[in-house]
Amino acid sequence: MSEEIESKRVRGTGSKSVYDTLRNEILALTLPPGQLLDETTLAERFAMSRSPIREALIRLSGEELVVTLSNRSTIVAPIEVASFPKYVEALDVAQRMNTRLAATLRTDADLKIIAKRQKEFEAAVKTGVHLKMSEANKQFHMAVAYAGKNTYLASFYERLLNQGQRMLHLHFEYLERGGDGYLLTDEHELMLEAIRAKNVELADELAHAHTRQFQDNFIAFLRENYTTDVSFGPLAAAE
């Protein structure tokens, strides 16, 4: 019986290792959108059977990071530029609502956590490693969402943040090229101070501006690197 339990533990560990590695490579764009993920090739790469590979791919599929095609082959999920306006519209609503709630309902304990996550984000920005930056950015915004005390809105927001992490890497790259990296930390600091002061309207405005900056820079990155014909409508102004 102990051998069976150990076997299951090893398999689970193997699947998690594959999942963690592939997830990091997908989010860091080391594995580009559309890249074929062949189970046999991956099994050879990780020196294990196809079962843990398949388990890892199923988990990544649940996070919408990979897609299984009709012929059963699996690829890294494409970044759908055409759907970006709808994505950023949803992100704007979720970001504003969670930040408004945080400014209304935050406790002193919440403020300490948000401030801690902000410091962690600042440290990540200094490393210049985009994967660390995107993960720390997500943790900052989720700390804000948890302070808002609405688990449904927080869950929806987390899903959007997960979906946008690869686009956020391109956003980081664009800011670094223009020497505007300071904006990354300054905007978070302003949001924290608005939440600390319980200034709901200012928190809302800053959350909206934060989304708009992400939208504008992502589109600018696409125009510079892939096409000169990228045209999306402006994000609606904060009310």
Side-chain angles (χ1 to χ4, degrees), residues 31-175:
L31 286 173
Q35 173 72 47
L36 177 66
L37 298 174
D38 177 66
E39 289 185 11
T40 301
T41 302
L42 291 173
E44 292 175 355
R45 172 187 171 185
F46 291 100
M48 59 182 65
S49 69
R50 292 173 61 178
S51 293
I53 302 296
R54 191 172 299 116
E55 291 173 14
L57 292 177
I58 290 173
R59 188 173 174 186
L60 290 167
S61 177
E63 297 182 12
E64 301 182 32
L65 291 175
V66 304
V67 176
T68 301
L69 304 179
S70 57
N71 62 2
R72 296 188 179 181
S73 61
T74 301
I75 63 171
V76 176
I79 295 177
E80 300 290 351
V81 176
S83 64
F84 179 72
K86 292 298 182 184
Y87 167 79
V88 81
E89 183 177 52
L91 178 65
D92 186 47
V93 171
Q95 191 146 272
R96 291 172 62 186
M97 286 303 302
N98 279 289
T99 307
R100 287 182 68 93
L101 286 172
T104 304
L105 302 172
R106 99 296 183 276
T107 64
D108 289 342
D110 291 325
L111 286 175
K112 289 180 181 179
I113 295 174
I114 297 171
K116 180 181 178 182
R117 297 291 178 259
Q118 167 60 358
K119 293 298 182 184
E120 291 171 349
F121 179 67
E122 289 178 353
V125 169
K126 290 178 181 178
T127 70
V129 179
H130 291 174
L131 186 58
K132 290 182 179 180
M133 292 164 64
S134 66
E135 288 288 351
N137 177 77
K138 174 187 168 183
Q139 293 306 318
F140 169 82
H141 285 291
M142 287 310 300
V144 171
Y146 295 144
K149 309 296 189 292
N150 188 311
T151 56
Y152 294 100
L153 282 174
S155 178
F156 174 57
Y157 190 32
E158 184 172 21
R159 180 183 175 188
L160 291 171
L161 292 173
N162 286 337
Q163 291 177 342
Q165 275 188 276
R166 290 184 295 169
M167 291 182 282
L168 192 61
H169 282 234
L170 303 180
H171 169 65
F172 289 156
E173 184 175 332
Y174 181 82
L175 284 178

Side-chain angles (χ1 to χ4, degrees), residues 1-47:
M1 178 66 69
S2 61
E3 291 182 0
E4 180 180 350
I5 293 174
E6 178 65 18
S7 176
K8 290 181 179 179
R9 186 191 70 78
V10 171
R11 285 201 300 272
T13 302
S15 175
K16 184 179 186 306
S17 175
V18 174
Y19 162 80
D20 288 340
T21 300
L22 293 180
R23 182 177 183 275
N24 287 344
E25 291 179 353
I26 291 170
L27 292 179
L29 300 175
T30 304
L31 286 173
Q35 173 72 47
L36 177 66
L37 298 174
D38 177 66
E39 289 185 11
T40 301
T41 302
L42 291 173
E44 292 175 355
R45 172 187 171 185
F46 291 100

Side-chain angles (χ1 to χ4, degrees), residues 88 91-92 95 206-215 235:
V88 81
L91 178 65
D92 186 47
Q95 191 146 272
L206 291 169
H208 175 69
H210 199 53
T211 310
R212 185 170 53 197
Q213 187 225 120
F214 164 65
Q215 176 195 38
L235 196 59

